[in-house]
Amino acid sequence: MKPIVAVVADLCLDILFTGEVIPIYGQVEQYVDDYHIELGGSAGIFASQFTKLGGSVDLYGVIGNDFFGRFLKERLQELNISTRYVTSSKSYKTAVGLGLAKGNDRAMLTYKGSFNGVTANGIMESGILQKASHLHIASYFLLEQLQAFWLEELPILKAKGITISLDTNWSPEEDWHKVHAILPYIDVFIPNEEEALRISGKADVEQAGSWLSHFGGWVVIKQGEKGATVFNGSSGQHFTIPESLSKGLKIADTTGAGDNFDAGFLYAWLKRASLKECVNLAMRCGTGSLSAIGGIEGQIQLP
Ligand SMILES: Nc1ncnc2c1ncn2[C@@H]1O[C@H](COP(=O)(O)OP(=O)(O)O)[C@@H](O)[C@H]1O
Ligand SMILES: [Mg+2]
């Protein structure tokens, strides 16, 4: 039977404006070149890529009872992600991420809204965890109201034989050490380099990876254009991006590269593929998403 991966989502609408423009206060009006609206949030991007690879995902998330919420629900359905576990709340407006992209850089403004509606009770009542054979935690710091719940629930899930992966993503509050408590329950930890250094408090990737892998799981540190380094209880094995992927690569936008990498790695890992195959599929997914704006459009589809 195919493994069912459960994700608890930071569902939000991403609006990205692009152009060589810096906002100016004082009511100055300026034109931008283009805009893009897409399903955002790490877990939604992950779920979409995992589904396109042929995997089964159950996604729990909360949207507002509003126009953006309905857009997200429709978009999830278009992407073949079931909205069975997506709840519409009257208490919150749908979360929105507003990005202003200029060249390779961007400013991001986030309205948390419906993120706050994601609760431990809601997850338990939904029944999503009962069906799962694997849990992927995609936004440990952003959904901070769940941190105590994960600490209580992960040992129970582990005892049932469910495997668990984690991509913390960035900590807006910079309270990096908080995640240490759940690391012993994580089978695959997939931070980016900056996150790995901050969480471990170490000065370089080799030290960070070896410290993090002492908790027992695989540690996969994503390093953007430098590739990735994987630790499994010992020293790291570095993987550069194969030339077949990097040659002629045009980067439209880096949104979601890490989430798509996670989807590729875990899809292969759950199939018990070799480490090399796991990294290879991860990199195909990570680089694929760079070619288009937003985290979804450039995703690769396996037949
Ligand atoms: N500039 C880039 N050039 C080539 N590949 C990239 C680039 N940025 C990201 N990738 C691919 O996406 C993966 C994840 O990107 P990274 O930026 O490290 O993660 P995150 O998005 O979580 O910060 C990388 O390991 C790599 O495979
Ligand atoms: Mg990331």
Side-chain angles (χ1 to χ4, degrees), residues 137 140 147 150-151 154 166 178-186:
I137 302 175
Y140 178 80
Q147 288 172 356
W150 291 133
L151 188 55
L154 296 189
L166 170 72
K178 276 195 179 167
V179 74
H180 294 176
I182 64 161
L183 291 178
Y185 308 107
I186 305 300

Side-chain angles (χ1 to χ4, degrees), residues 169-204:
N169 280 302
W170 196 255
S171 167
E173 311 281 357
E174 301 255 4
D175 46 4
W176 300 99
H177 62 279
K178 276 195 179 167
V179 74
H180 294 176
I182 64 161
L183 291 178
Y185 308 107
I186 305 300
D187 298 284
V188 189
F189 180 34
I190 324 181
N192 72 19
E193 182 170 336
E194 277 306 315
E195 292 152 3
L197 296 180
R198 285 173 160 81
I199 289 167
S200 65
K202 301 292 178 192
D204 62 49

Side-chain angles (χ1 to χ4, degrees), residues 42 167 169 190-195 221-229 239-242 245-246 249 251 254-262 279 282-290:
S42 216
D167 178 354
N169 280 302
I190 324 181
N192 72 19
E193 182 170 336
E194 277 306 315
E195 292 152 3
I221 302 184
K222 296 171 282 190
Q223 298 171 282
E225 63 187 353
K226 290 183 288 177
T229 307
F239 295 85
T240 53
I241 306 204
L245 295 176
S246 61
L249 183 70
I251 301 179
T254 57
T255 304
D259 310 315
N260 288 315
F261 179 104
D262 298 351
V279 172
M283 286 186 176
R284 278 175 68 194
C285 295
T287 50
S289 84
L290 302 173

